[in-house]
Amino acid sequence: MDHSLAATFDGANAQSRPPLTGPRDPGDAWVEGVHGRFWGRFGAAGVLAYDPAKGVLLQHRALWSHNGGTWGLPGGALHQDEDAVTGALREAYEEAAVPAADVKVLFSSVLDIGYWSYTTVVVHVARPFEPVISDPESLELSWIPVADVQRKELHPGFARSWPGLRPRMLELAAALRQ
């Protein structure tokens, strides 16, 4: 069964950033330092959703976005005073309609470089759902078997974290099968 969703945005829209509407959060800004430039003044977070029947949910990033065209996690900049789990679940809902009530947080993994951090929040899908492209940041959303994730062109940050996350995901898959 194909678990991917086609984008609702045509190719022309995929190349140029859509106009911003509404107020922006103060966290929606770049930070720069010795390790480079990162999105999210207060850090960033994303959800790695695992459904035993489908795999992990990945987002094919819009071409206009930073590292566009790569595959990563639904996520983004944290709001001021927002904890990483809340922010990751909010962003995953905004970008992929991941329902917080239907997932169970299992663990998180933090990359902290001093002036910026990214938290990967791993969740178990307790009640199956189909993700929905709910903003222009995605070309596609797809459930990918854990063994096939590395075959995708991954967002550089996710590509660096996947080797550490993969064994934990395989252990999780084995535990959930028992």
Side-chain angles (χ1 to χ4, degrees):
M1 178 191 320
D2 182 7
H3 295 291
S4 66
L5 301 169
T8 57
F9 302 98
D10 63 32
N13 288 336
Q15 301 259 353
S16 61
R17 183 181 175 112
L20 296 172
T21 58
R24 291 179 56 112
D25 185 84
D28 290 339
W30 292 99
V31 295
E32 295 187 47
V34 296
H35 299 292
R37 180 175 144 168
F38 301 92
W39 183 250
R41 189 170 154 219
F42 309 113
V47 165
L48 179 56
Y50 175 68
D51 183 322
K54 299 175 186 175
V56 296
L57 178 63
L58 295 184
Q59 173 194 49
H60 193 189
R61 299 168 55 82
L63 298 177
W64 56 261
S65 68
H66 187 60
N67 294 300
T70 61
W71 290 83
L73 306 179
L78 296 176
H79 291 177
Q80 189 169 10
D81 299 322
E82 182 177 51
D83 68 84
V85 171
T86 301
L89 291 170
R90 175 187 50 77
E91 284 282 344
Y93 182 77
E94 289 174 4
E95 295 182 1
V98 174
D102 294 344
V103 299
K104 177 184 176 197
V105 175
L106 299 175
F107 65 90
S108 61
S109 174
V110 180
L111 166 69
D112 189 340
I113 60 171
Y115 62 93
W116 183 83
S117 66
Y118 185 89
T119 302
T120 301
V121 178
V122 177
V123 302
H124 172 246
V125 175
R127 188 171 12 184
F129 67 90
E130 284 305 318
V132 175
I133 295 173
S134 48
D135 76 6
E137 295 182 33
S138 301
L139 294 174
E140 180 181 4
L141 299 167
S142 188
W143 292 102
I144 308 294
V146 172
D148 295 341
V149 169
Q150 70 274 4
R151 294 185 184 146
K152 296 287 189 184
E153 182 181 348
L154 300 178
H155 178 281
F158 184 55
R160 282 190 297 276
S161 67
W162 182 243
L165 289 167
R166 185 177 186 274
R168 294 182 80 178
M169 299 307 298
L170 291 171
E171 288 172 15
L172 173 64
L176 291 172
R177 278 194 297 265
Q178 294 178 0

